[in-house]
Amino acid sequence: MVNMNVNLPWTEVKGENSDIVLATRVRLARNIADRLMPQKLDAEQGGQVLNQCLGVLNKCDSPKFTCCKMAELHPLERGVMVEKHLVSPAFMNPSDYALAAVSEDEKTCVMINEEDHIRIQCLLPGLQIEAAWQEASRIDDMLAKDITYAFDAQLGYLTACPTNLGTGLRASLMVHLPALTLTGRHKAIFANLARMGMTVRGMYGEGSEAAGNLYQISNQVTLGISEQDIIENMHNVTLQIVEAEREARKALLQKSEIDFQDNVWRAYAVLAHSRRINIGEMMEKLSYLRLGIDMGMIEGITPHQLTQLMIKGQTAYIQKAADKPLNEIGIECARADMLRQELPLLK
Amino acid sequence: MVNMNVNLPWTEVKGENSDIVLATRVRLARNIADRLMPQKLDAEQGGQVLNQCLGVLNKCDSPKFTCCKMAELHPLERGVMVEKHLVSPAFMNPSDYALAAVSEDEKTCVMINEEDHIRIQCLLPGLQIEAAWQEASRIDDMLAKDITYAFDAQLGYLTACPTNLGTGLRASLMVHLPALTLTGRHKAIFANLARMGMTVRGMYGEGSEAAGNLYQISNQVTLGISEQDIIENMHNVTLQIVEAEREARKALLQKSEIDFQDNVWRAYAVLAHSRRINIGEMMEKLSYLRLGIDMGMIEGITPHQLTQLMIKGQTAYIQKAADKPLNEIGIECARADMLRQELPLLK
């Protein structure tokens, strides 16, 4: 049974830029020496990798991991784990030897037999790349005591996909950029990021759309650069994006404060009163509402609550919470009901 | 100083069809014998017509009339009178000898030197053609004691415009047809009405748009037909339109009750929370909200209140109530503020 609690650490608000940087994720890709990569493993070998990792993870005291085979979960339960950002979307269709080990506080998750044998991820609220890296690194060191990693003196850590070679480190920042998006300035910034070896994706990673003006910015380059340099680069670039978003918000406000307020309150109005709402509209309206809260235009709701609503309004979560099969209309109605119940009545 | 009270008789809800037929207006066009028509009068003759009528109106006890020269009112005050349906839009640009005599309950108004010397109008809530006609006729008989009307044995009452010749009687029904409009069925019905010698206009008469799915249906033909036949025809046709609207509402509900509810609640949401709203959007949303109330989907607001909000949200009313000059944005913001203050918070 998957945990339906959405009081996740990364939904909290932490640090001075956490109005724009919702969360930081650091993940490390590792593989076991002298083993085929996960997609090449047969059932026996897959089971061996799984059991070896499981033995090490079960020994761990800090954090204590709850382990579950992904294939044994109901698809909706896997969906909820993806929506909570505990595991990657690739785990929606897991192999029989895919496993997720989640810490009790749900900050840390180790995925076994995803694209690589081992993926360690740490997800923290706000802009905390260094702290997330420290925690992921600590888990990494711990696993390395019992597991010999596939490592090459020239290439560094060996990974299933060459884009992860070297450090195997990917730092991702979940950023909320409504003003840059509304003014269209995000395009030039994202083009610049690409030139600097960074990628921008939607909030559920590769292939997902940038719903709700939420973007994941990650380093593309993992090879020929030190972990510390990756982290510093990402940190500095993120600060620049934050600054650009703040400027764009000021510009929107100067252009027409009343239209700004009107947009924000109309977004609240739809969320608080609609009887049917699709996920794209919910994400868009939650974004404007968050913007209004950030700008001090709306009181009585916190950004923390909004992030929780965002998770609770996701499609798998809605279906799992309903505990009965829902068609598309049923999901949209249940989403509207949830939002109406959770949001306070404001004037 | 114009009366800003919007507790008008015609905003009340009266009779079994008053959910669809908001109000009934009957007006009689009369002219004084051996006088030029108003648009041909010079100042002296205009003043004579004015004084003759004023003398008669001032004598009247039931109802007591409050008389004011339209030219002496501020344009915004004239606007409010038009928006309250006390006088016709033609009185926005009055001559120096144009006068409005309004009864204390604002059911009855006599316009002097509009298109004709005398126009008697009676405005009642719901479908009450006979009652409105009786009251207008009573005023007519009273005036006829002191005034000799221009009358021809062949043509009947003589009027400035030939379309009013004969009875000088125009009966207008203010009907709310959101479902017929949404389903597009109103077009065929209106085409039929035209063939039957009836006209359909917006709620502020000739040239006004059918904002908020509100229409005025009137008889076009006044000549060669008795008053009683006009009244019976209009009554029967109105009942048929009411029936068609009820059918269209049922059909909308059967098609998708949840979308119906969603539309209604989203309309409420915009009215209750927007910070800036233009008159077209207000009228549209008030229409959907009224529909929701009619269908029992929303409680806590009455149709009576909605009609009052509609008047209070009109442009002249907003400006007059603000008691300071407002630009377009200012009007839209004041309208949103008024709606937010007046509407209860519902969930």
Side-chain angles (χ1 to χ4, degrees):
Chain A
M1 180 63 191
V2 73
N3 182 358
M4 296 292 279
N5 184 355
V6 292
N7 205 17
L8 299 155
W10 72 267
T11 65
E12 284 165 22
V13 174
K14 186 151 181 182
E16 58 175 333
N17 291 312
S18 63
D19 52 337
I20 292 171
V21 185
L22 270 63
T24 304
R25 189 172 65 106
V26 164
R27 75 106 169 98
L28 298 171
R30 299 289 185 258
N31 287 281
I32 302 171
D34 306 322
R35 287 275 184 195
L36 293 171
M37 289 295 163
Q39 59 272 42
K40 304 269 185 182
L41 295 173
D42 62 23
E44 193 190 338
Q45 296 164 320
Q48 287 165 357
V49 167
L50 175 64
N51 286 330
Q52 185 183 357
C53 294
L54 198 51
V56 179
L57 290 165
N58 277 337
K59 280 200 309 183
C60 184
D61 267 333
S62 169
K64 268 263 172 236
F65 286 109
T66 302
C67 299
C68 60
K69 286 190 185 173
M70 291 307 291
E72 291 175 358
L73 293 177
H74 187 279
L76 286 180
E77 294 183 309
R78 295 200 288 266
V80 170
M81 289 183 77
V82 170
E83 289 168 357
K84 289 173 75 175
H85 286 268
L86 297 177
V87 299
S88 64
F91 259 22
M92 280 303 289
N93 300 299
S95 69
D96 287 340
Y97 35 95
L99 178 122
V102 181
S103 70
E104 199 175 1
D105 64 8
E106 298 185 307
K107 270 184 194 169
T108 311
C109 178
V110 183
M111 287 181 278
I112 306 300
N113 288 322
E114 200 242 30
E115 189 180 290
D116 296 293
H117 293 142
I118 300 168
R119 288 202 164 187
I120 302 161
Q121 97 163 14
C122 182
L123 187 60
L124 295 179
L127 177 55
Q128 298 194 72
I129 314 184
E130 179 67 33
W133 153 246
Q134 290 294 346
E135 178 60 10
S137 191
R138 193 179 67 79
I139 309 289
D140 184 37
D141 292 347
M142 199 181 63
L143 296 180
K145 283 180 194 157
D146 292 297
I147 295 167
T148 306
Y149 286 147
F151 186 84
D152 178 275
Q154 279 281 309
L155 292 171
Y157 293 103
L158 302 177
T159 53
C161 179
T163 57
N164 293 314
L165 272 177
T167 57
L169 165 65
R170 178 143 299 147
S172 302
L173 285 304
M174 194 194 293
V175 290
H176 182 228
L177 307 177
L180 284 174
T181 308
L182 278 169
T183 56
R185 297 191 200 172
H186 64 307
K187 287 175 194 164
I189 290 174
F190 293 173
N192 252 330
L193 289 176
R195 279 192 287 274
M196 295 165 71
M198 293 173 193
T199 56
V200 180
R201 296 174 297 182
M203 73 166 284
Y204 287 106
E206 239 161 314
S208 75
E209 278 179 48
N213 304 312
L214 286 168
Y215 302 90
Q216 268 193 55
I217 297 169
S218 322
N219 61 309
Q220 183 73 351
V221 180
T222 56
L223 185 66
I225 181 170
S226 73
E227 284 91 346
Q228 208 51 50
D229 284 348
I230 291 173
I231 284 162
E232 271 178 35
N233 277 353
M234 290 302 296
H235 184 83
N236 292 334
V237 163
T238 305
L239 286 181
Q240 284 172 35
I241 293 169
V242 166
E243 198 47 47
E245 171 65 17
R246 289 204 198 289
E247 286 302 317
R249 290 180 183 193
K250 267 188 222 158
L252 277 181
L253 208 56
Q254 273 165 7
K255 197 176 158 208
S256 172
E257 183 167 351
I258 190 69
D259 287 334
F260 199 132
Q261 286 199 340
D262 190 48
N263 271 336
V264 163
W265 277 101
R266 281 169 184 255
Y268 164 79
V270 168
L271 293 168
H273 297 292
S274 76
R275 260 52 185 171
R276 175 179 176 183
I277 187 166
N278 67 39
I279 191 159
E281 189 180 12
M282 178 192 76
M283 293 295 285
E284 184 199 332
K285 303 305 184 200
L286 283 176
S287 170
Y288 292 150
L289 184 50
R290 183 184 294 273
L291 183 58
I293 294 167
D294 289 351
M295 305 299 279
M297 289 173 178
I298 289 197
E299 288 176 3
I301 315 171
T302 65
H304 175 54
Q305 285 174 299
L306 287 194
T307 309
Q308 294 184 319
L309 290 182
M310 187 176 79
I311 298 171
K312 291 177 98 169
Q314 296 296 317
T315 303
Y317 193 100
I318 289 281
Q319 292 177 91
K320 179 74 189 138
D323 218 17
K324 65 180 177 187
L326 293 174
N327 63 9
E328 196 187 321
I329 294 177
I331 292 169
E332 292 183 1
C333 293
R335 182 179 292 121
D337 291 345
M338 180 279 292
L339 290 167
R340 206 161 62 251
Q341 277 160 26
E342 300 267 346
L343 283 170
L345 270 186
L346 302 176
K347 199 149 196 171
Chain B
M1 179 63 191
V2 72
N3 182 358
M4 296 293 279
N5 184 354
V6 292
N7 205 18
L8 299 155
W10 71 267
T11 65
E12 284 164 22
V13 175
K14 185 149 182 185
E16 58 176 332
N17 291 312
S18 65
D19 52 337
I20 292 171
V21 185
L22 270 64
T24 304
R25 188 172 65 106
V26 164
R27 75 106 169 100
L28 298 172
R30 299 288 184 259
N31 287 282
I32 303 172
D34 306 321
R35 286 276 185 194
L36 293 172
M37 290 295 163
Q39 59 273 40
K40 304 268 184 183
L41 294 174
D42 62 22
E44 193 190 338
Q45 297 164 320
Q48 287 166 357
V49 168
L50 174 64
N51 287 329
Q52 185 183 355
C53 294
L54 196 51
V56 179
L57 290 165
N58 277 337
K59 281 201 310 186
C60 184
D61 268 334
S62 169
K64 268 263 171 239
F65 286 110
T66 302
C67 299
C68 59
K69 286 190 185 172
M70 291 307 292
E72 290 175 359
L73 294 176
H74 188 278
L76 286 179
E77 295 184 307
R78 296 199 287 266
V80 170
M81 289 183 78
V82 170
E83 289 168 357
K84 288 173 77 176
H85 287 267
L86 298 177
V87 298
S88 64
F91 259 21
M92 280 302 290
N93 300 300
S95 69
D96 286 340
Y97 34 96
L99 179 124
V102 182
S103 68
E104 199 176 359
D105 63 8
E106 298 184 309
K107 270 184 193 168
T108 311
C109 179
V110 182
M111 288 181 277
I112 306 300
N113 288 322
E114 201 241 30
E115 190 180 287
D116 296 294
H117 293 142
I118 300 168
R119 287 203 163 184
I120 303 161
Q121 96 163 16
C122 182
L123 188 60
L124 296 179
L127 177 56
Q128 297 194 72
I129 313 184
E130 179 67 32
W133 152 245
Q134 291 293 346
E135 177 61 9
S137 191
R138 193 180 67 79
I139 308 289
D140 184 37
D141 292 345
M142 201 182 61
L143 296 180
K145 284 179 196 158
D146 292 297
I147 295 168
T148 307
Y149 288 147
F151 186 84
D152 179 275
Q154 280 279 311
L155 293 171
Y157 292 102
L158 301 178
T159 53
C161 179
T163 56
N164 293 313
L165 271 178
T167 57
L169 165 66
R170 178 143 297 146
S172 302
L173 285 305
M174 194 195 291
V175 289
H176 182 227
L177 307 177
L180 284 175
T181 308
L182 279 169
T183 56
R185 296 188 202 175
H186 64 308
K187 286 175 196 166
I189 290 173
F190 293 172
N192 252 328
L193 289 176
R195 278 192 286 275
M196 294 165 70
M198 293 173 192
T199 56
V200 181
R201 295 174 295 181
M203 73 166 283
Y204 286 107
E206 239 161 314
S208 75
E209 278 179 47
N213 303 313
L214 286 168
Y215 303 90
Q216 267 194 55
I217 298 169
S218 322
N219 61 308
Q220 184 73 351
V221 180
T222 57
L223 185 65
I225 180 169
S226 73
E227 284 91 346
Q228 208 50 53
D229 284 348
I230 291 173
I231 284 162
E232 270 177 34
N233 278 354
M234 290 302 296
H235 184 83
N236 292 333
V237 163
T238 305
L239 285 180
Q240 284 173 36
I241 293 169
V242 166
E243 198 46 49
E245 171 66 19
R246 289 204 199 290
E247 286 302 317
R249 290 181 182 191
K250 266 188 221 156
L252 277 181
L253 208 56
Q254 273 166 7
K255 197 177 156 205
S256 171
E257 183 167 350
I258 190 68
D259 287 333
F260 199 132
Q261 285 199 340
D262 191 48
N263 271 336
V264 163
W265 277 100
R266 281 170 184 255
Y268 164 78
V270 168
L271 293 168
H273 297 291
S274 75
R275 259 54 185 170
R276 176 182 176 182
I277 186 165
N278 67 40
I279 191 159
E281 189 179 13
M282 179 193 76
M283 293 295 286
E284 184 199 333
K285 303 305 183 199
L286 282 175
S287 170
Y288 292 151
L289 184 50
R290 182 184 294 271
L291 183 57
I293 293 167
D294 289 351
M295 305 298 280
M297 288 172 177
I298 288 196
E299 287 175 3
I301 315 171
T302 65
H304 175 53
Q305 284 175 299
L306 287 193
T307 309
Q308 294 185 319
L309 290 181
M310 187 177 79
I311 297 171
K312 291 177 99 169
Q314 296 297 316
T315 303
Y317 194 99
I318 289 282
Q319 292 176 90
K320 179 74 187 136
D323 220 16
K324 64 178 179 188
L326 294 173
N327 62 10
E328 197 189 319
I329 294 176
I331 293 168
E332 292 184 1
C333 293
R335 183 180 290 122
D337 291 345
M338 180 279 292
L339 290 168
R340 207 162 59 252
Q341 276 160 27
E342 300 268 345
L343 283 170
L345 269 186
L346 302 175
K347 199 151 195 170

Short mmCIF file of all heavy atoms in Angstrom, two decimals, chain B residues 14 60 85 131 137 171-172 178 211 215 219 251-252 258 280 288 291 298 305 329:
data_model
loop_
_atom_site.label_atom_id
_atom_site.label_comp_id
_atom_site.label_asym_id
_atom_site.label_seq_id
_atom_site.Cartn_x
_atom_site.Cartn_y
_atom_site.Cartn_z
N LYS B 14 -42.70 37.56 -9.67
CA LYS B 14 -44.14 37.46 -9.46
C LYS B 14 -44.77 36.55 -10.50
O LYS B 14 -44.63 36.77 -11.69
CB LYS B 14 -44.76 38.85 -9.54
CG LYS B 14 -46.23 38.84 -9.23
CD LYS B 14 -46.70 40.12 -8.58
CE LYS B 14 -48.17 40.02 -8.25
NZ LYS B 14 -48.70 41.27 -7.71
N CYS B 60 -52.73 64.78 -10.45
CA CYS B 60 -53.01 63.36 -10.24
C CYS B 60 -52.64 62.91 -8.82
O CYS B 60 -51.57 63.23 -8.31
CB CYS B 60 -52.24 62.55 -11.28
SG CYS B 60 -52.61 60.81 -11.20
N HIS B 85 -34.94 51.41 -16.43
CA HIS B 85 -36.08 51.22 -17.33
C HIS B 85 -37.23 52.17 -17.02
O HIS B 85 -38.39 51.88 -17.34
CB HIS B 85 -36.59 49.77 -17.31
CG HIS B 85 -35.69 48.82 -18.02
ND1 HIS B 85 -35.83 48.48 -19.34
CD2 HIS B 85 -34.58 48.17 -17.60
CE1 HIS B 85 -34.88 47.65 -19.69
NE2 HIS B 85 -34.11 47.44 -18.65
N ALA B 131 -52.65 43.20 -16.71
CA ALA B 131 -52.58 44.14 -15.58
C ALA B 131 -51.84 45.42 -15.97
O ALA B 131 -52.25 46.53 -15.60
CB ALA B 131 -51.89 43.48 -14.39
N SER B 137 -53.91 52.07 -19.18
CA SER B 137 -55.18 52.54 -19.70
C SER B 137 -55.86 53.48 -18.70
O SER B 137 -56.50 54.47 -19.09
CB SER B 137 -56.06 51.31 -20.00
OG SER B 137 -57.18 51.68 -20.73
N ALA B 171 -46.72 46.34 -26.29
CA ALA B 171 -46.49 45.47 -25.13
C ALA B 171 -45.14 44.81 -25.32
O ALA B 171 -44.84 44.28 -26.39
CB ALA B 171 -47.58 44.42 -25.04
N SER B 172 -44.28 44.89 -24.29
CA SER B 172 -42.95 44.30 -24.39
C SER B 172 -42.74 43.35 -23.22
O SER B 172 -43.06 43.69 -22.08
CB SER B 172 -41.87 45.38 -24.33
OG SER B 172 -42.04 46.31 -25.36
N PRO B 178 -31.55 31.85 -21.73
CA PRO B 178 -30.17 31.35 -21.84
C PRO B 178 -30.07 30.00 -22.54
O PRO B 178 -29.17 29.80 -23.37
CB PRO B 178 -29.73 31.24 -20.38
CG PRO B 178 -30.99 31.13 -19.58
CD PRO B 178 -32.00 31.94 -20.33
N ALA B 211 -27.63 41.45 -24.33
CA ALA B 211 -26.67 41.06 -23.30
C ALA B 211 -27.36 40.18 -22.27
O ALA B 211 -28.53 40.37 -21.95
CB ALA B 211 -26.10 42.31 -22.65
N TYR B 215 -33.96 39.31 -23.64
CA TYR B 215 -34.56 39.86 -24.85
C TYR B 215 -35.85 40.57 -24.52
O TYR B 215 -36.54 40.22 -23.57
CB TYR B 215 -34.85 38.73 -25.85
CG TYR B 215 -33.66 37.90 -26.22
CD1 TYR B 215 -33.32 36.77 -25.47
CD2 TYR B 215 -32.86 38.23 -27.31
CE1 TYR B 215 -32.22 36.00 -25.81
CE2 TYR B 215 -31.75 37.46 -27.65
CZ TYR B 215 -31.44 36.34 -26.89
OH TYR B 215 -30.35 35.58 -27.22
N ASN B 219 -44.85 43.63 -29.76
CA ASN B 219 -45.68 43.63 -30.97
C ASN B 219 -45.21 44.75 -31.89
O ASN B 219 -44.88 45.85 -31.44
CB ASN B 219 -47.16 43.83 -30.62
CG ASN B 219 -47.41 45.16 -29.92
OD1 ASN B 219 -46.75 45.45 -28.94
ND2 ASN B 219 -48.36 45.93 -30.43
N ALA B 251 -33.11 19.81 -21.96
CA ALA B 251 -32.19 19.16 -22.91
C ALA B 251 -30.74 19.39 -22.49
O ALA B 251 -29.92 18.47 -22.53
CB ALA B 251 -32.44 19.70 -24.32
N LEU B 252 -30.42 20.61 -22.08
CA LEU B 252 -29.05 20.91 -21.63
C LEU B 252 -28.68 20.06 -20.43
O LEU B 252 -27.57 19.56 -20.31
CB LEU B 252 -28.93 22.39 -21.25
CG LEU B 252 -28.70 23.40 -22.37
CD1 LEU B 252 -28.59 24.81 -21.79
CD2 LEU B 252 -27.44 23.07 -23.16
N ILE B 258 -23.34 17.76 -15.24
CA ILE B 258 -22.15 18.27 -14.56
C ILE B 258 -21.58 19.49 -15.27
O ILE B 258 -21.15 20.45 -14.64
CB ILE B 258 -21.07 17.16 -14.39
CG1 ILE B 258 -19.96 17.64 -13.47
CG2 ILE B 258 -20.51 16.69 -15.71
CD1 ILE B 258 -20.39 17.83 -12.04
N GLY B 280 -20.39 43.32 -20.51
CA GLY B 280 -20.81 42.16 -21.27
C GLY B 280 -20.59 40.88 -20.49
O GLY B 280 -21.46 40.00 -20.43
N TYR B 288 -26.02 33.11 -16.44
CA TYR B 288 -25.78 31.71 -16.06
C TYR B 288 -26.10 31.48 -14.59
O TYR B 288 -26.60 30.43 -14.20
CB TYR B 288 -24.33 31.31 -16.35
CG TYR B 288 -24.01 31.25 -17.82
CD1 TYR B 288 -22.74 31.50 -18.31
CD2 TYR B 288 -25.00 30.93 -18.76
CE1 TYR B 288 -22.45 31.46 -19.67
CE2 TYR B 288 -24.72 30.89 -20.12
CZ TYR B 288 -23.45 31.15 -20.57
OH TYR B 288 -23.17 31.10 -21.91
N LEU B 291 -29.75 31.20 -14.24
CA LEU B 291 -30.15 29.88 -14.72
C LEU B 291 -29.91 28.83 -13.63
O LEU B 291 -30.75 27.97 -13.37
CB LEU B 291 -29.33 29.55 -15.98
CG LEU B 291 -29.61 28.25 -16.72
CD1 LEU B 291 -31.07 28.17 -17.14
CD2 LEU B 291 -28.70 28.13 -17.93
N ILE B 298 -28.12 26.48 -7.17
CA ILE B 298 -27.46 27.43 -6.27
C ILE B 298 -28.51 28.01 -5.33
O ILE B 298 -29.57 28.44 -5.78
CB ILE B 298 -26.77 28.56 -7.07
CG1 ILE B 298 -25.52 28.02 -7.77
CG2 ILE B 298 -26.42 29.75 -6.19
CD1 ILE B 298 -24.57 29.06 -8.27
N GLN B 305 -32.47 39.60 -6.38
CA GLN B 305 -31.16 40.21 -6.13
C GLN B 305 -30.35 40.33 -7.42
O GLN B 305 -29.67 41.32 -7.65
CB GLN B 305 -30.37 39.36 -5.13
CG GLN B 305 -30.82 39.49 -3.69
CD GLN B 305 -30.07 38.51 -2.78
OE1 GLN B 305 -30.16 37.30 -2.98
NE2 GLN B 305 -29.35 39.04 -1.83
N ILE B 329 -11.34 51.56 -17.01
CA ILE B 329 -10.81 50.57 -16.06
C ILE B 329 -11.42 50.79 -14.68
O ILE B 329 -11.79 49.84 -13.99
CB ILE B 329 -9.26 50.66 -15.98
CG1 ILE B 329 -8.64 50.25 -17.32
CG2 ILE B 329 -8.72 49.78 -14.86
CD1 ILE B 329 -7.13 50.40 -17.37
#
